[in-house]
Amino acid sequence: MDIVEYNPANSIRHPWELVRLAFVTRLIRQYHKHNTKMLILDMGCGDCFFSLSLLEKKLPATIIGIDPAYSAEDLVTKRKNITHPDFHLFSNIDEAKQLIKAPVDMVLLLDVIEHIPDDISFLKDLAGQNFINADTTFIVTVPAYQSLFTSHDEFLLHYRRYNNRSLKQHLRSGDLEPIETGYFFFSLVPVRLFQKMKEKLFGKPRQQKGLGGWTHGKFITGIVKGILSIDVAVTRFKKKIGINVPGLSNYSVCKKPVS
């Protein structure tokens, strides 16, 4: 989750986050079919839950997490609490380069580029790094549909939301070529539509809660997780047979074009 949402007192993760983890993990395994150990760059890694979960799932990888939201003091504290030998945390790419001795196999940009004012320049700069080549796979997730932009997006410091067309345009302008693009979390679209209509009628809520504000127990979390898991599975199946279903989240798998 974003650091702005992080609540260290909450030990139960939001089901949205758990299902997104499973969804992206499947994409990683789908697009990296080699048995070799991967080098993964997790840009905007937030509280590091995603990367550490991948390693707990025994994914053969060394993961470098980068998030500029960490101050020097935050990095010291966070590193003390992370004991996994295959995860390394930095606040910027320049510092991380000391560990990147070979081309990166995979770059994760999970709900990151919507936070960046000039996302295209950011993507161009990242794609132009000497540790990125034509074999590097990018997995990008973003919030979907600008028409669903609410005060919750403002709370999360989002500049925009995307759709299939705009996401592809921004990626291509950022020197990346989409291989697969689509949506997930169809069942959350009506929820966000209701929130949007509620804001129009009654104004913005006084307080916002991010993923760290999830306070339900394991039972409710399991039920919601199950519903969202079915949602993602049905959406993926329909996409395979040529039916594109909208969703609250957008994703794209892409690579740097061969020059």
Side-chain angles (χ1 to χ4, degrees):
M1 68 176 70
D2 294 343
I3 293 176
V4 70
E5 303 176 88
Y6 181 56
N7 179 6
N10 193 349
S11 61
I12 298 179
R13 310 298 297 204
H14 195 291
W16 177 93
E17 194 173 16
L18 298 173
V19 176
R20 187 189 67 162
L21 169 65
F23 175 73
V24 176
T25 300
R26 284 195 295 270
L27 288 177
I28 291 172
R29 296 188 185 278
Q30 177 184 344
Y31 284 93
H32 187 85
K33 299 178 180 178
H34 309 294
N35 293 323
T36 56
K37 190 174 184 178
M38 285 183 282
L39 178 57
I40 298 176
L41 188 62
D42 186 1
M43 297 293 297
C45 61
D47 69 340
C48 308
F49 166 77
F50 191 95
S51 287
L52 293 174
S53 296
L54 289 180
L55 294 173
E56 288 173 4
K57 291 174 178 287
K58 306 301 181 184
L59 188 79
T62 294
I63 304 180
I64 297 173
I66 298 176
D67 200 310
Y70 283 106
S71 66
E73 291 180 358
D74 292 335
L75 279 175
V76 171
T77 302
K78 192 70 175 179
R79 284 168 177 166
K80 286 181 179 178
N81 295 327
I82 296 174
T83 58
H84 201 292
D86 285 322
F87 181 75
H88 309 276
L89 180 63
F90 299 92
S91 61
N92 60 70
I93 287 180
D94 289 335
E95 291 179 358
K97 285 180 179 178
Q98 60 185 294
L99 287 182
I100 306 176
K101 306 300 182 183
V104 172
D105 295 295
M106 192 159 289
V107 177
L108 304 177
L109 289 164
L110 307 180
D111 292 85
V112 170
I113 63 174
E114 68 272 16
H115 294 275
I116 301 171
D118 189 349
D119 56 341
I120 292 174
S121 293
F122 168 80
L123 290 169
K124 278 186 176 181
D125 181 66
L126 183 56
Q129 296 290 330
N130 58 12
F131 51 77
I132 302 295
N133 62 21
D135 293 324
T136 304
T137 301
F138 286 72
I139 296 180
V140 181
T141 64
V142 292
Y145 300 114
Q146 185 63 27
S147 60
L148 297 179
F149 195 98
T150 66
S151 60
H152 187 67
D153 291 284
E154 295 173 357
F155 166 70
L156 295 176
L157 305 179
H158 292 173
Y159 284 92
R160 71 196 73 80
R161 300 176 73 93
Y162 299 77
N163 57 33
N164 277 350
R165 183 177 179 181
S166 65
L167 181 56
K168 289 178 181 178
Q169 287 176 338
H170 283 236
L171 292 171
R172 286 176 176 141
S173 297
D175 296 336
L176 295 172
E177 183 57 37
I179 301 169
E180 176 187 342
T181 304
Y183 300 100
F184 58 112
F185 292 138
F186 167 76
S187 59
L188 294 180
V189 172
V191 176
R192 179 51 65 91
L193 278 171
F194 174 77
Q195 292 172 340
K196 181 79 174 182
M197 292 175 61
K198 187 177 177 182
E199 280 195 5
K200 284 188 175 181
L201 291 173
F202 303 107
K204 298 178 182 180
R206 294 181 180 179
Q207 291 184 331
Q208 290 284 351
K209 291 184 179 180
L211 298 179
W214 180 261
T215 57
H216 300 284
K218 292 182 179 180
F219 180 72
I220 297 298
T221 298
I223 291 175
V224 177
K225 179 185 174 184
I227 293 171
L228 293 179
S229 297
I230 294 171
D231 170 324
V232 169
V234 170
T235 302
R236 289 283 285 170
F237 173 75
K238 288 186 175 182
K239 189 175 189 302
K240 286 182 180 179
I241 62 175
I243 302 174
N244 289 315
V245 178
L248 195 63
S249 289
N250 225 172
Y251 79 94
S252 187
V253 180
C254 43
K255 287 182 177 286
K256 185 176 179 178
V258 178
S259 56

